[in-house]
Amino acid sequence: MLKPGADPGQLLGLDSTAGLSANDLKNLLKLEAPLAVQARPPHAGFFPLNKFSTVPLLVKAARTAFTDVNGDDAKKEFMVLPDTHVKSLRTTQTGSGTWRVVGVDTSSGLIDLAPGGSIVIALGTIESARLALLTFSSTAIPTLPLMGKNLIAHLRSNLVIRVPRAAIAGLSATTNELQTSALFVKCRAKKPNGDLIGHFHLQITATGGGNTVGSEDELFRKVPDVDFFEQLRTSTDTNVAIAIRGIGEMAAADFNNPAAHPSRVELDPRNDEYGVRRALVTITATQRDNDLWTIMDATMAQVASIFANGQPMQTLQSNRDGLGTTHHETGTLWMGTDPTKSVTDDAGRFHHTENLYAAGPCLSPSIGSPNPMLTGIALARRTGDRIMTPPAFIADPGFEALFDGGTVGDWKMSTIRNQPGRDNPGTFLIRRGVFEGHPGTDIGLLWLARPTPPRFVLRLQWMMTAPDDNSGVFVSFLHPEEQGYDNTAYVAVNFGFEVQIDELARPDNAPIHRTGAIYSFKGPTDGPLIVRPVGEWNQYEITVDGADLTVALNAQIVNRFHFTGDPQSPQRGLASTPAKPRFVGLQTHTGTVLFRNIQWKAL
């Protein structure tokens, strides 16, 4: 970051910025992906053979995950599954009208997705689009007609020339082997009236070369071996080989009418070796693309003549690469803020889904001329960050957030004393924006050390991860640490009310013990009880208004309860006051229950 008053030319290595406008400087600061060559001994251009390999990263991550849990596979957070081909994703439509991935169909069978888990499709632009189409082809998801459209790639041309060494001024006559060098030139293609057609760049590399070695061979084609290295070491460079590679952007779709774009990925009627439909790829240059390509080729020829500098020039190669041969495809699952005009949102999550993401260049709405992989990697990193650390929760209008999804804040865990062997109340971990409850040897309570208003509405979401999960939401109990209890969680039991979470209604299957009940007081008998299944989020809205409690589950009122007193606990059911404040909390009991989006408002 520049210091105040510093010259932005420092970032560009410029001696002076005189004569450059503010817009010129801003444009220069939009640095493209660097074009570089390795120039260290034993010879310029020897790149590591594993330069683009992901295997070392995967192996390191797997080993780290193994070490973190002392080899317990059940607790590992990362594993590599070998010899397995993904065929499609299993989805279900949720009660909220969105789709949720529940498993992965593979050549090795169905792999169930853990409740609360997410899926990231990162198979490249073509295969990611195919998997999305295979997954949703039989659904009514609104974005299905958009998936696979807007396939774009690069327009590429190659021109390789050889010129005498004398054509390049400033080369030392005493140096036998010339260094390899590279140059990146940004360009714009315009119509005769000045309207912009598009962008392209020239990727220029040069090296000393005899009659058989050119810069393409030096940088991209050779495999280092002893004989070839000896040839390079003893050669005398009498010529300079220059490769000019032009790379131009294909036009993106009109997102008001993406179906009109000629290039796309569709499902082929034919099946592959795993019995699922292949990808049918159509990629076609438009008239706009051909106009840009013509201008780019003409520019390359002009640059070549400048390098020749009036000396004889030998053309070693002059051709166009076929569309789609560069592995630079993008766009088929493009991101955007409007779900009617894009497939994914700004985090890479598919619109109308809860837990399905895409990563890589397939997200880019347009391509530009540089290699899209750097942008794809940046987007993948951001998507990973969003999944693991979602943005801080923002409360609904009129409500106050009680948990931001990232920090424990004012929440405290209950304690147990004087109970050897039963002194573990469990814990709540913060994972991916949620409180994740883990039971201990006795019930526990995560309570908010902030007094409730006298009358209030508490709103939160919860998820079961197994059919036998048991938990609850406590309201209106006294300060847990001031009642002298060995297990402070029982303060909530004896002085407050528990809104139950337990589909098995233990211990007796009675309504007063089932989800939505005011535990042991009144069952959820005032409306349709629609509990979403394991892996889906449910919402409680609990209204505390004096002696009246109202519980709404998933926007349906299920329990209206009027408290008339409890002789065994006369302090139960009283409103929060400065002298006798009341609190809310979440229970650990059985299984792993998740909580998020916790908020309240005073009435």
Side-chain angles (χ1 to χ4, degrees):
M1 179 176 291
L2 288 177
K3 296 179 180 179
D7 186 347
Q10 295 173 1
L11 287 177
L12 301 168
L14 300 177
D15 294 330
S16 171
T17 57
L20 293 175
S21 67
N23 284 335
D24 289 335
L25 283 171
K26 288 179 180 178
N27 187 56
L28 288 172
L29 286 168
K30 296 175 182 176
L31 298 178
E32 307 289 355
L35 178 62
V37 296
Q38 184 169 290
R40 65 186 183 192
H43 180 75
F46 277 173
F47 290 110
L49 297 182
N50 65 348
K51 178 180 179 183
F52 299 107
S53 174
T54 59
V55 173
L57 295 175
L58 292 173
V59 171
K60 181 179 180 181
R63 287 174 174 169
T64 300
F66 178 87
T67 302
D68 287 346
V69 296
N70 296 318
D72 185 349
D73 280 351
K75 297 180 180 179
K76 281 170 64 175
E77 294 190 344
F78 180 84
M79 286 186 283
V80 177
L81 191 62
D83 299 323
T84 300
H85 180 84
V86 175
K87 298 165 66 175
S88 67
L89 306 177
R90 291 275 184 97
T91 64
T92 184
Q93 192 168 5
T94 70
S96 58
T98 60
W99 277 259
R100 179 171 58 92
V101 178
V102 296
V104 183
D105 277 314
T106 77
S107 57
S108 301
L110 175 66
I111 301 174
D112 290 322
L113 182 64
S118 296
I119 291 284
V120 180
I121 300 176
L123 298 171
T125 295
I126 305 298
E127 279 296 288
S128 291
R130 181 176 80 128
L131 184 57
L133 289 167
L134 286 168
T135 298
F136 292 105
S137 59
S138 61
T139 74
I141 192 169
T143 51
L144 180 60
L146 303 179
M147 295 178 188
K149 306 299 192 296
N150 190 44
L151 174 63
I152 41 181
H154 276 147
L155 314 169
R156 296 217 325 187
S157 293
N158 305 286
L159 178 58
V160 182
I161 62 172
R162 182 177 287 121
V163 298
R165 180 170 174 155
I168 310 299
L171 297 181
S172 171
T174 61
T175 302
N176 288 334
E177 184 186 12
L178 298 176
Q179 293 280 349
T180 303
S181 62
L183 180 65
F184 184 99
V185 182
K186 295 192 292 185
C187 306
R188 296 187 183 94
K190 294 184 176 181
K191 297 179 180 179
N193 64 2
D195 290 345
L196 179 68
I197 298 175
H199 298 84
F200 66 95
H201 73 263
L202 303 184
Q203 186 172 296
I204 305 170
T205 56
T207 186
N211 294 325
T212 59
V213 178
S215 63
E216 288 283 290
D217 305 289
E218 285 276 286
L219 294 174
F220 305 115
R221 295 177 182 163
K222 67 175 177 235
V223 176
D225 60 50
V226 174
D227 294 335
F228 188 55
F229 172 69
E230 184 64 17
Q231 177 188 350
L232 292 170
R233 191 181 67 82
T234 59
S235 66
T236 298
D237 294 331
T238 57
N239 297 296
V240 177
I242 301 172
I244 306 172
R245 177 170 289 168
I247 304 179
E249 61 175 352
M250 287 184 71
D254 175 358
F255 297 111
N256 291 312
N257 185 21
H261 195 263
S263 301
R264 64 193 64 201
V265 177
E266 300 168 291
L267 292 180
D268 195 308
R270 297 167 295 176
N271 289 343
D272 63 14
E273 62 271 31
Y274 297 99
V276 294
R277 295 172 67 181
R278 298 180 183 275
L280 179 62
V281 180
T282 302
I283 185 164
T284 305
T286 64
Q287 184 59 51
R288 175 265 187 201
D289 298 330
N290 286 323
D291 291 344
L292 185 147
W293 214 335
T294 299
I295 293 172
M296 184 171 70
D297 288 349
T299 304
M300 293 167 64
Q302 290 178 321
V303 170
S305 66
I306 292 172
F307 280 119
N309 198 22
Q311 297 286 330
M313 180 178 69
Q314 179 185 5
T315 300
L316 304 179
Q317 179 185 358
S318 179
N319 70 291
R320 288 180 174 182
D321 290 332
L323 287 175
T325 63
T326 63
H327 307 292
H328 287 185
E329 301 87 3
T330 67
T332 55
L333 302 174
W334 72 95
M335 56 172 46
T337 57
D338 187 344
T340 67
K341 296 180 181 179
S342 56
V343 181
T344 53
D345 67 12
D346 63 351
R349 181 174 55 84
F350 282 73
H351 293 303
H352 310 290
T353 73
E354 291 183 356
N355 61 344
L356 179 61
Y357 297 79
C362 63
L363 296 174
S364 299
S366 59
I367 189 171
S369 66
N371 188 326
M373 277 309 302
L374 287 179
T375 300
I377 291 171
L379 291 173
R381 290 175 64 94
R382 185 176 71 165
T383 296
D385 288 343
R386 291 282 186 91
I387 293 173
M388 298 308 297
T389 309
F393 169 62
I394 298 176
D396 297 330
F399 281 77
E400 177 188 0
L402 304 178
F403 171 50
D404 63 7
T407 58
V408 70
D410 294 329
W411 293 86
K412 299 178 67 175
M413 195 66 203
S414 60
T415 58
I416 302 176
R417 62 181 183 177
N418 301 324
Q419 296 184 20
R422 292 180 56 84
D423 56 356
N424 177 10
T427 187
F428 277 84
L429 304 178
I430 298 176
R431 292 181 184 269
R432 295 173 50 195
V434 307
F435 275 137
E436 181 180 284
H438 293 267
T441 54
D442 200 350
I443 68 167
L445 179 74
L446 182 72
W447 60 284
L448 182 68
R450 191 188 308 174
T452 71
R455 303 166 57 242
F456 65 97
V457 177
L458 177 67
R459 184 181 291 174
L460 55 85
Q461 292 182 332
W462 54 270
M463 178 192 292
M464 297 183 298
T465 63
D468 63 343
D469 281 345
N470 184 340
S471 183
V473 180
F474 282 94
V475 297
S476 302
F477 53 86
L478 293 171
H479 196 295
E481 297 173 348
E482 296 178 355
Q483 313 309 314
Y485 277 56
D486 286 343
N487 184 342
T488 57
Y490 282 94
V491 173
V493 175
N494 294 334
F495 294 98
F497 299 102
E498 179 187 5
V499 181
Q500 178 72 330
I501 299 172
D502 183 7
E503 279 299 271
L504 301 183
R506 284 159 285 195
D508 53 11
N509 201 34
I512 59 172
H513 298 138
R514 193 189 169 189
T515 302
I518 309 296
Y519 190 82
S520 294
F521 286 94
K522 183 177 181 297
T525 57
D526 295 299
L529 188 69
I530 302 174
V531 182
R532 292 176 184 154
V534 168
E536 290 191 25
W537 288 102
N538 293 270
Q539 178 167 289
Y540 268 157
E541 184 168 291
I542 304 167
T543 302
V544 180
D545 186 1
D548 294 307
L549 273 72
T550 303
V551 179
L553 173 64
N554 298 325
Q556 297 284 340
I557 293 178
V558 297
N559 203 331
R560 291 186 175 92
F561 171 62
H562 178 73
F563 180 61
T564 58
D566 181 357
Q568 294 182 348
S569 181
Q571 290 292 317
R572 193 195 302 270
L574 301 182
S576 182
T577 66
K580 286 281 188 180
R582 302 281 166 153
F583 302 88
V584 299
L586 313 172
Q587 186 189 54
T588 57
H589 190 291
T590 303
T592 302
V593 181
L594 314 181
F595 297 89
R596 71 176 187 183
N597 297 358
I598 308 170
Q599 53 190 322
W600 69 19
K601 70 174 179 180
L603 294 175

